[in-house]
Amino acid sequence: MPITLPSDLPAYAVLEREGVMVMGEDTAERQDIRRLRIGLLNLMPKKIQTETQFARLIGATPLQIDFQLIRMSEHESKNASAEHMESFYRPFSEVAATGEKFDGLIITGAPIEHLPFEEVTYWNELQQVMDWTQTHVHSTFGVCWGGMAMINHFHGVPKHLLSAKLFGCLRHQNLAPASPYLRGFSDDVLIPVSRWTEMKAAEVEAAGLSILIGSGEAGPCLVEDPAHRALYIFNHFEYDSGTLKEEYDRDVSTGSPINVPVNYFPNDDPTRQPLNRWRSHAHLLYGNWINEIYQSTPYDMARIGMA
């Protein structure tokens, strides 16, 4: 079954060329089926790239997905056109006012790691979003900074600044092979990492949370929070093959201090084309998340968030 997207959303054409099943909203409305409603609260500056990355992953399952794009109400994007934001995004204030509910919500990362949470301009509204998920979203997936924000908000777990950027494709261990979210996972997983902060395993575990994927070098990666019906991932399965290269080239061009991303370019040679060695696990993780939502979400969406 396909993911439902507006036919003029840039991601629609990209995914159609890649062979991902996509369906226009008009066609989807004619089908007598209970679609899973998945929202994307997109905090990343490159809106179109991020939309496409997540739509690609959640659109690869056998289920029909109704994909909704959400933005912070007062924060204006500097990298996406006003027309794009007006055409495809709704502010959170509008979504909350309608009382509508979602089977799943993804909260993306944001390039503001260096700031304390409370200094982020939209932190108060994001706290409202996170509290709102407890009554209006069946399962929430916090990604990178978004995951750190959620685990801090719900459990007080702090993020810690690193002395150097964790940057590259790092080996991680499957610490919970029986978890339904890791169904089909290998024991050893390569995952793109790009961050200046970390969460410490001891503090995560002291909060009573389970680390599903972790690394001796990169720390916790995937954390389950059953009490809040949430997953937190601090690294980037959703990245395209060239995303780390784009970040590296950007920093080189601006003269920012940056190391070549480890285990990414063949022989760590940035003149060579990088190989994608995480794609299959990315599809597994998000496919497993969608499947778990499908198995447990109420058919009557009005019952989402009810104890």
Side-chain angles (χ1 to χ4, degrees):
M1 295 294 288
I3 181 171
T4 304
L5 302 172
S7 57
D8 51 348
L9 185 73
Y12 189 102
V14 173
L15 300 183
E16 191 173 43
R17 287 196 299 270
E18 293 178 0
V20 177
M21 292 184 67
V22 289
M23 177 183 288
E25 292 173 318
D26 291 343
T27 303
E29 289 296 331
R30 293 196 295 269
Q31 294 198 340
D32 185 17
I33 190 170
R34 160 74 160 86
R35 294 178 287 169
L36 290 183
R37 200 154 190 262
I38 307 295
L40 178 71
L41 179 62
N42 192 351
L43 307 177
M44 290 294 285
K46 293 186 175 181
K47 302 296 185 190
I48 294 175
Q49 182 185 58
T50 304
E51 296 155 16
T52 305
Q53 289 171 345
F54 284 107
R56 176 184 293 116
L57 293 174
I58 66 172
T61 76
L63 304 172
Q64 188 181 134
I65 306 295
D66 177 15
F67 194 50
Q68 298 285 319
L69 298 176
I70 306 169
R71 62 172 176 85
M72 303 308 293
S73 303
E74 301 300 326
H75 183 73
E76 292 188 10
S77 174
K78 299 177 182 178
N79 297 82
S81 70
E83 180 182 4
H84 181 83
M85 300 303 294
E86 180 68 24
S87 297
F88 301 114
Y89 281 79
R90 288 187 299 155
F92 171 69
S93 57
E94 178 183 307
V95 173
T98 65
E100 60 198 84
K101 298 191 175 184
F102 292 78
D103 298 293
L105 177 72
I106 298 169
I107 300 178
T108 74
I112 48 177
E113 291 180 89
H114 61 290
L115 292 175
F117 290 118
E118 60 274 12
E119 292 185 14
V120 174
T121 57
Y122 49 78
W123 179 244
N124 288 340
E125 186 179 20
L126 185 59
Q127 288 183 302
Q128 295 173 27
V129 172
M130 293 184 286
D131 290 337
W132 169 86
T133 65
Q134 299 307 287
T135 53
H136 290 75
V137 179
H138 182 66
S139 180
T140 307
F141 208 147
V143 179
C144 200
W145 183 85
M148 293 182 180
M150 290 188 71
I151 198 173
N152 177 266
H153 176 69
F154 288 128
H155 298 281
V157 179
K159 61 181 173 70
H160 300 272
L161 286 172
L162 297 166
S163 58
K165 186 178 184 178
L166 271 174
F167 192 43
C169 295
L170 302 181
R171 289 285 174 191
H172 291 69
Q173 286 69 55
N174 178 350
L175 303 177
S179 168
Y181 297 109
L182 301 185
R183 190 178 292 112
F185 262 62
S186 304
D187 296 331
D188 181 81
V189 186
L190 195 72
I191 309 176
V193 182
S194 178
R195 50 183 165 86
W196 286 94
T197 54
E198 68 173 349
M199 312 302 286
K200 294 188 180 296
E203 294 173 341
V204 171
E205 292 172 338
L209 303 176
S210 300
I211 301 173
L212 306 185
I213 299 176
S215 163
E217 183 177 2
C221 172
L222 181 66
V223 175
E224 183 179 8
D225 184 359
H228 294 91
R229 303 186 309 280
L231 288 177
Y232 315 130
I233 188 167
F234 307 130
N235 302 328
H236 291 285
F237 267 131
E238 82 279 2
Y239 270 8
D240 295 324
S241 302
T243 304
L244 290 177
K245 182 181 186 306
E246 292 173 10
E247 294 183 9
Y248 174 73
D249 290 344
R250 176 201 62 202
D251 288 347
V252 169
S253 67
T254 60
S256 302
I258 188 66
N259 295 323
V260 174
V262 298
N263 301 324
Y264 177 58
F265 297 106
N267 297 325
D268 290 332
D269 180 355
T271 66
R272 300 183 64 182
Q273 187 72 18
L275 299 176
N276 189 313
R277 293 178 288 163
W278 61 90
R279 183 183 296 114
S280 57
H281 282 107
H283 281 280
L284 272 175
L285 177 60
Y286 283 89
N288 287 341
W289 178 60
I290 292 294
N291 183 57
E292 285 303 300
I293 291 174
Y294 176 73
Q295 297 291 336
S296 59
T297 194
Y299 186 83
D300 179 3
M301 294 192 70
R303 297 185 59 79
I304 288 175
M306 297 176 62

